[in-house]
Amino acid sequence: MIVKSLVFECDGKPVVVLVPGDRRADPAKVAAAVGAARARVVAAADVERLTGFEPGAVAPFRCPGSSAS
């Protein structure tokens, strides 16, 4: 199975969401899952700054400098 690692911003905090390769992530469901009021996909230009990985190469494990939730 292919898994996509998508980077969202939820109430100002970055969140990496793992989604099956053939599915889309619903921002409202992402927000609800992390107890946030709002979630949005971050711009490609911000992905590396937030995760340490280039867009398209975000690994499906804890990102440098992150905390587990």
Side-chain angles (χ1 to χ4, degrees):
M1 174 184 281
I2 294 174
V3 175
K4 298 184 284 192
S5 301
L6 304 177
V7 183
F8 280 78
E9 184 178 334
C10 299
D11 290 349
K13 294 184 178 184
V15 174
V16 175
V17 177
L18 303 180
V19 181
D22 63 342
R23 303 277 176 101
R24 293 178 181 251
D26 179 333
K29 290 181 180 179
V30 171
V34 298
R38 183 169 177 227
R40 68 172 184 85
V41 176
V42 301
D46 294 325
V47 171
E48 188 169 5
R49 178 179 60 80
L50 293 170
T51 67
F53 298 102
E54 293 182 18
V58 177
F61 47 81
R62 183 186 272 183
C63 297
S66 69
S67 62
S69 295

